[in-house]
Amino acid sequence: MRRILLCLAVALCVAVGADKKKPVAAAAPPPPPKMDEAYGAKIREYTTEPHFLTELVDHLPASDTVPTPEKVLGYAIGTPNKLTYTKDIYRYMRALAAASKRVKVFTIGHSEEGRETMLVAVSDEANIAKLDHYKQLTAKLADPRKTPPAEAAKIVEEALPMYWASGSIHSPETGSPEMLMELAYRVAVEESPFIQNIRKNSIVMITPATEVDGRDRQVDLYNYRKANPNKVAPSLVYWGKYVAHDNNRDSMGMALALSRIMMSTFLDWRPTVLHDLHESVPFLYVSTGMGPYNAWLDPIVVDEWQKMAYVEIEEMTKRGVPGVWTHGFYDGWAPNYMFYVANGHNSIGRFYETFGGQGADTRERTVPAASTTRTWFRPNPPLPKVKWSLRNNINLQQSGILFSMNNVANNRKQFLENFYIKSRRSIEKAAKEGPAAWVLPGDETRTAEAADLVNLLRAQGIEVHKLNDEAQVGAAKYPAGSYVVRMDQPYSRMADMLLDTQYYNVNDPAPYDDTGWSMGPLRNVKTTRVTDGAILKAPMTMLTDAAKSEGKMNGGTAAAGYLINHNTDNTLATMRFRLKDVKMSAAEESFKAEDRTFNAGTFIIKTDGNPADLRSRLETAAADLGFTAYAVRELPKTPMHEVAVPRVALVHSWLNTQSEGWYRVAFDKLQIPYTYMSDHVLRNTADLRSKFDVIILGPTPGNSQRVVNGMPMIGEPIPWKKSELTPNFGNSPDTTDDMRGGMGLEGLLNVRKFVEAGGLFVTIAANSSIPVDYGLIDGVTIVPSQTLRARGSVMNSVVADKKSPIAYGYGDKLAVYFNQAPLLQVSLTGGFGGGRGGAGAPETGRPTGRGTATDPDVPQGRAFVAPPPARTPVGPGEEPPVEEEMREAMRAYLPPLDQRPRVVLRFSEEKDLLVSGMLAGGRELANKAAVVDVPRGKGHFLLFANNPMWRNGTQGSYFLLFNAMLNYNNLGVGRPAAAPARPATSGTEDY
Ligand SMILES: [Zn+2]
C-alpha cells in the first residue's frame, strides 16, 4: 500500500505541466484504486532486483469487467519460461477490446504466410469513439498545402498525438509482444493521473508483433529448447518467409509484407511517433545514435530524438534504474530501417534496445564489457554482472515507453505543431534548399523499371506526376510523359533521400549498415535532379493509379516473326519463362530493323515452328509486362542462338538463409520458376546435371571453409521441421531432419561434374571465394584488401565484354552494389609466376628525380629510352602482355583461349568509381573484375564480386544474372576465335 501511495505521488508529479485538452475533472482525490494483488506479487517475484522495477509497473490495477492478461492466458506477463503465440496475443487483445470501450482492434494486413498483423488502439472512450475524426485531423496537419496556419492552429487545439509502439520485428527479441499486452491493459484500466493523462491526451497504438511468422517460429523454438535441455537446438534459420534480421532494413525496398503493412497503416493514421521495440544491448538503450545522421531529414526531428530520449533517461535514472542511456549503438544514416515509415514522413521514428534473452529464462549473465564502460553518453552504465529475467526486460521497456507516452501527452500541442511545421517545411523544400524536383525522363529506355520505381515511391506515399507536354526548363528538355517527383509536397524528403547521391566520409564513425543506396543508379533508371523551379510550373497530372509501362504489338499480322528489344527490363525474363513453350533466339549483335536499332540480345521469335496462337499470346504478354513486340515481314540476318528456359536451382545453407532470401524476393516477384534447396542436395546428388541447368549458390555469410563445411557435425542431428513442439516450422521455405553439415567436398566435386557436363554454377560476392579457394577454377584469385573501405556502397562499373551474352541489353556503364569484398583478380596463370599483388601493392609512382609527377625519369649520361606505356586492362580474348621469356616459362600454365576467364563487368577507374556511399582505398577496387565468366569443360562458373540482388534495390543488376541463365549454354558466344596481338610489357598482367 505504501508503495502505491508513493507511486501516485510520483505519477502526479510527472503529470504536472500537461497541456491537457480536457482538465481532469475535480480536485477531490480519486477513490483508492483496486489492485490485482496476486498479479502484482508475481511482478515483484519475477523481477530479480528492485532497481529493475519502477512504480509505473510494480503493480497491476484490478477491474471487475476487463480481463487481465493472466485471466485470458493463464499466466502473468513475464512469467519465467512462458512465451505467447500470436494467436493467443490476439485472443487476449480481442478479449480486452470486447470488455473495454477504451480499446479497439484492427487487422492491418497479413504476412506472406497468411498470419494476421494487428493494430490495437487504446485511449479514452470518448477518443476511441471518434478515431476516424482524429485520423482526419492528423491528415489535415500532414498536408499544409490544404491546411493554412490559422486552421492548423485550431486543429492542434483539438487533435491528439498518436503514439505507435511496434513489437518484435526481430523474432529472437521476445519480450515486447508480452509487454505490449500488459501495456494495453494498463493504459486501458489504470486510473492514476499519469495514465489518465496518456489516455485523454493521446491515442496509443500497438502492434504487438510486426514479424508475425517469425514470432510463432521463435515461440516454437523456445518451447523446443525447454523440452530438450540436453540437445543442441537449431538457430532460428527462418524468421519470415524471405529474410531474418534484415526485415527491418526493407523500408526503402518495401519488398516484405510487414514493411508494406506498416507503411500503409502509417499513411492511414499518421501517428506522431513510431517506437520500434528491439532487444540486444543492456539495459535500456534509447535511440538517438552516433551520427552521421541522415542528411535529408528536417533538423527538427533530430532534436526531437534527443529531447525525447533524455526525458526517459532522466525519469528512469531518478528511480535508480542502472544502465539507461542514449547516443552510441548505431549511426542514424541509412533510411532503410522500418521506423523510417515515420522519420521519412515528418513524424518521429525511434527505437529501444533492452537487454533481451532470446526467450523467457531467468539466469546469471555477464554483460559485454563494451556496454558497461562509463563514457560521456553513458554516465550510468549497465552493471557488469546481472541476474536477468524476462520480467526485468518487460519492466524497463514498459516503464520507459510509459514515460515517453506521458511526455508526448504532456506536450501534445508541441508535438502536433512540430508535425505540422515539418510537413510545411517539406513543402517549402522545393523553393528553399531544393531541389525543385526529381525527373525520370520520358525517353527512358527501361520503361518497366522506371514504372516500378515510380510505384515504389507511390507506396511510400509520395506523389508522382506526369508531364502533359514536353517541358523546357533552362537548357534541358523533358519529354511529355516524364515522371516528375515534386519537392513541394509533404513527403519530399523521403523522395529526395531515396533518389539523391550519398557521401559518407570515412573519418566518420564506422557505419552501422549500408552507406549508399541511390535508387536511380542501382535500378539503372535515369533520374535527374532539377534545381530550376520552372519545372514545377510545367503542366503535369498526378498519377492516381500505378504507373505502367505501355506494352503493345507493333506491326501487321503477316509476320515472319517478332522482335523484342533487349533493354534489360526485368519483365523480359518473366516473358521468357511465361512463354516457355515458345522458341526464341537471341541476336548476337546489335542490328537495325523497323527504322530503329535493336540491342544485342534482342529476342527474335519466328512465326515458323512456334504455336499458332503466338501472336495473341505475345500481345497479351506485351500489354501485361510492358514491352513492345515488333512484327516484322523479314527476319534480321544477324547471328543468333536459342534462348533457353533453364531449370534453375537456388541453393541455401542451413547456417543462414537471409541474404539468399532477397533472391527469392526477386524471383517470386518476377515469376521466375526455381527449385529451392539446401546445399545438402549438392552433397547428395551425384548427377546434378540431369536435374538442373543453372545452380545459384545464394549468398551465405562466412568464409569458404565455414560455408562448405556448414554447421559442424557435432553431437546429434539438429532437425528443422514440423513437430508437436514446433508446429510453425512446417511452413518454412525448407525443412530438414538434420541441419548439420554443408555441401562438403562431395558437393564441390558434384558441382565440378555439373559444370563440366554443361551446367552454369553462380557464386555471389564473398562466396565467390569457394570456387577459387577449392581450386574448382583457374585464373581467378582473390586478393586481400589492405586499405579499401567500401561498406555497402554504390560503385560504377564498365561493361568490359560487350559481346558476352551476360552483357546483353546493357550500355557501357552500370552502377552496382558492392560491400567490401571480394577483390577478384583475373590472371591467366591463376597466380603462378607471382602475379601482381594487386590490392595492397604500394603505389610505386615514379622515382624521385627531376620534373613533375608524370614526367619520365631521365638517367644522366646516356640517351633516354621511353618506358613502355602504362598498363591498361586487356580486352576479351586479347593476349595478356607478357614478356617473351616469361611467356615461354609459363606456357604450360596458359589455358586455351576458349577456357580463359572472361571479365564481363569491371569496376571503373578510381576517379569514376564511387556513385554513392563510402569509399577509401579505391585504387584496390579500381579496374578489378566485377563479373567473371570462367569456362570449365562444357559449362561455366560465374563469379560476382557485386551482389546483383540485394534488398529489392539492385534491379539494374538483375539481368546480369538473368542473361547468364537464359544463355547458360551459349556463354562462349562472342569470344574471339584467335587472340589479337598486343604489345608486350612486363610482368604478369591481369586482364
Ligand atoms: Zn532488433
PDB file of all heavy atoms in Angstrom, residues 169-170 173 245 248 277-280 352-353, ligand 1:
ATOM      1  N   ILE A 169       9.852  -6.972 -34.253  1.00  0.00           N
ATOM      2  CA  ILE A 169      10.116  -7.159 -35.691  1.00  0.00           C
ATOM      3  C   ILE A 169      11.254  -8.165 -35.812  1.00  0.00           C
ATOM      4  O   ILE A 169      11.334  -8.919 -36.774  1.00  0.00           O
ATOM      5  CB  ILE A 169      10.443  -5.811 -36.374  1.00  0.00           C
ATOM      6  CG1 ILE A 169      10.423  -5.954 -37.896  1.00  0.00           C
ATOM      7  CG2 ILE A 169      11.778  -5.231 -35.899  1.00  0.00           C
ATOM      8  CD1 ILE A 169      10.466  -4.628 -38.637  1.00  0.00           C
ATOM      9  N   HIS A 170      12.111  -8.206 -34.792  1.00  0.00           N
ATOM     10  CA  HIS A 170      13.209  -9.180 -34.756  1.00  0.00           C
ATOM     11  C   HIS A 170      12.808 -10.328 -33.839  1.00  0.00           C
ATOM     12  O   HIS A 170      12.700 -10.164 -32.618  1.00  0.00           O
ATOM     13  CB  HIS A 170      14.492  -8.495 -34.261  1.00  0.00           C
ATOM     14  CG  HIS A 170      15.114  -7.645 -35.320  1.00  0.00           C
ATOM     15  ND1 HIS A 170      16.043  -6.685 -35.061  1.00  0.00           N
ATOM     16  CD2 HIS A 170      14.933  -7.636 -36.667  1.00  0.00           C
ATOM     17  CE1 HIS A 170      16.418  -6.118 -36.211  1.00  0.00           C
ATOM     18  NE2 HIS A 170      15.752  -6.673 -37.190  1.00  0.00           N
ATOM     19  N   GLU A 173      13.971 -11.407 -30.374  1.00  0.00           N
ATOM     20  CA  GLU A 173      13.791 -10.370 -29.357  1.00  0.00           C
ATOM     21  C   GLU A 173      12.366 -10.516 -28.845  1.00  0.00           C
ATOM     22  O   GLU A 173      11.412 -10.008 -29.400  1.00  0.00           O
ATOM     23  CB  GLU A 173      14.104  -9.007 -29.988  1.00  0.00           C
ATOM     24  CG  GLU A 173      15.533  -9.006 -30.538  1.00  0.00           C
ATOM     25  CD  GLU A 173      15.859  -7.861 -31.489  1.00  0.00           C
ATOM     26  OE1 GLU A 173      15.108  -6.876 -31.524  1.00  0.00           O
ATOM     27  OE2 GLU A 173      16.876  -7.978 -32.191  1.00  0.00           O
ATOM     28  N   HIS A 245      16.898 -11.058 -39.893  1.00  0.00           N
ATOM     29  CA  HIS A 245      17.180  -9.771 -39.256  1.00  0.00           C
ATOM     30  C   HIS A 245      17.034  -8.581 -40.214  1.00  0.00           C
ATOM     31  O   HIS A 245      16.738  -7.460 -39.793  1.00  0.00           O
ATOM     32  CB  HIS A 245      18.603  -9.834 -38.683  1.00  0.00           C
ATOM     33  CG  HIS A 245      18.957  -8.715 -37.783  1.00  0.00           C
ATOM     34  ND1 HIS A 245      19.501  -7.537 -38.252  1.00  0.00           N
ATOM     35  CD2 HIS A 245      18.831  -8.568 -36.447  1.00  0.00           C
ATOM     36  CE1 HIS A 245      19.711  -6.723 -37.228  1.00  0.00           C
ATOM     37  NE2 HIS A 245      19.310  -7.313 -36.130  1.00  0.00           N
ATOM     38  N   ASN A 248      13.990  -5.456 -40.913  1.00  0.00           N
ATOM     39  CA  ASN A 248      13.844  -4.020 -40.629  1.00  0.00           C
ATOM     40  C   ASN A 248      14.827  -3.188 -41.443  1.00  0.00           C
ATOM     41  O   ASN A 248      15.143  -2.067 -41.087  1.00  0.00           O
ATOM     42  CB  ASN A 248      13.950  -3.714 -39.126  1.00  0.00           C
ATOM     43  CG  ASN A 248      15.382  -3.659 -38.640  1.00  0.00           C
ATOM     44  OD1 ASN A 248      16.240  -4.343 -39.180  1.00  0.00           O
ATOM     45  ND2 ASN A 248      15.637  -2.851 -37.620  1.00  0.00           N
ATOM     46  N   LEU A 277      10.357  -1.633 -30.867  1.00  0.00           N
ATOM     47  CA  LEU A 277      10.961  -2.237 -29.673  1.00  0.00           C
ATOM     48  C   LEU A 277      11.928  -3.354 -30.055  1.00  0.00           C
ATOM     49  O   LEU A 277      11.529  -4.377 -30.612  1.00  0.00           O
ATOM     50  CB  LEU A 277       9.855  -2.744 -28.750  1.00  0.00           C
ATOM     51  CG  LEU A 277       9.025  -1.593 -28.166  1.00  0.00           C
ATOM     52  CD1 LEU A 277       7.675  -2.089 -27.661  1.00  0.00           C
ATOM     53  CD2 LEU A 277       9.784  -0.867 -27.058  1.00  0.00           C
ATOM     54  N   HIS A 278      13.188  -3.126 -29.743  1.00  0.00           N
ATOM     55  CA  HIS A 278      14.238  -4.111 -30.016  1.00  0.00           C
ATOM     56  C   HIS A 278      14.911  -4.521 -28.722  1.00  0.00           C
ATOM     57  O   HIS A 278      14.793  -3.840 -27.707  1.00  0.00           O
ATOM     58  CB  HIS A 278      15.283  -3.514 -30.957  1.00  0.00           C
ATOM     59  CG  HIS A 278      14.789  -3.334 -32.348  1.00  0.00           C
ATOM     60  ND1 HIS A 278      15.083  -4.214 -33.355  1.00  0.00           N
ATOM     61  CD2 HIS A 278      13.980  -2.387 -32.882  1.00  0.00           C
ATOM     62  CE1 HIS A 278      14.496  -3.804 -34.466  1.00  0.00           C
ATOM     63  NE2 HIS A 278      13.810  -2.698 -34.212  1.00  0.00           N
ATOM     64  N   GLU A 279      15.632  -5.634 -28.814  1.00  0.00           N
ATOM     65  CA  GLU A 279      16.326  -6.147 -27.637  1.00  0.00           C
ATOM     66  C   GLU A 279      17.717  -6.613 -28.030  1.00  0.00           C
ATOM     67  O   GLU A 279      17.858  -7.467 -28.897  1.00  0.00           O
ATOM     68  CB  GLU A 279      15.503  -7.299 -27.036  1.00  0.00           C
ATOM     69  CG  GLU A 279      14.145  -6.817 -26.529  1.00  0.00           C
ATOM     70  CD  GLU A 279      13.143  -7.944 -26.276  1.00  0.00           C
ATOM     71  OE1 GLU A 279      13.572  -9.058 -25.961  1.00  0.00           O
ATOM     72  OE2 GLU A 279      11.940  -7.687 -26.399  1.00  0.00           O
ATOM     73  N   SER A 280      18.707  -6.040 -27.400  1.00  0.00           N
ATOM     74  CA  SER A 280      20.085  -6.513 -27.602  1.00  0.00           C
ATOM     75  C   SER A 280      20.957  -6.004 -26.464  1.00  0.00           C
ATOM     76  O   SER A 280      21.179  -6.722 -25.503  1.00  0.00           O
ATOM     77  CB  SER A 280      20.632  -6.065 -28.965  1.00  0.00           C
ATOM     78  OG  SER A 280      20.686  -4.655 -29.045  1.00  0.00           O
ATOM     79  N   TYR A 352      13.998   1.312 -29.056  1.00  0.00           N
ATOM     80  CA  TYR A 352      14.701   0.892 -27.838  1.00  0.00           C
ATOM     81  C   TYR A 352      15.512  -0.353 -28.169  1.00  0.00           C
ATOM     82  O   TYR A 352      15.131  -1.161 -29.022  1.00  0.00           O
ATOM     83  CB  TYR A 352      13.706   0.452 -26.751  1.00  0.00           C
ATOM     84  CG  TYR A 352      13.077   1.538 -25.911  1.00  0.00           C
ATOM     85  CD1 TYR A 352      12.071   1.192 -24.994  1.00  0.00           C
ATOM     86  CD2 TYR A 352      13.464   2.866 -25.995  1.00  0.00           C
ATOM     87  CE1 TYR A 352      11.466   2.149 -24.209  1.00  0.00           C
ATOM     88  CE2 TYR A 352      12.865   3.830 -25.199  1.00  0.00           C
ATOM     89  CZ  TYR A 352      11.863   3.480 -24.311  1.00  0.00           C
ATOM     90  OH  TYR A 352      11.266   4.421 -23.532  1.00  0.00           O
ATOM     91  N   GLU A 353      16.604  -0.508 -27.442  1.00  0.00           N
ATOM     92  CA  GLU A 353      17.225  -1.819 -27.289  1.00  0.00           C
ATOM     93  C   GLU A 353      17.196  -2.094 -25.794  1.00  0.00           C
ATOM     94  O   GLU A 353      17.759  -1.317 -25.017  1.00  0.00           O
ATOM     95  CB  GLU A 353      18.669  -1.830 -27.792  1.00  0.00           C
ATOM     96  CG  GLU A 353      18.872  -1.456 -29.253  1.00  0.00           C
ATOM     97  CD  GLU A 353      18.457  -2.549 -30.229  1.00  0.00           C
ATOM     98  OE1 GLU A 353      18.328  -3.729 -29.795  1.00  0.00           O
ATOM     99  OE2 GLU A 353      18.253  -2.230 -31.407  1.00  0.00           O
TER     100      GLU A 353
HETATM  101 ZN    ZN B   1      16.375  -5.861 -33.165  1.00  0.00          ZN
END
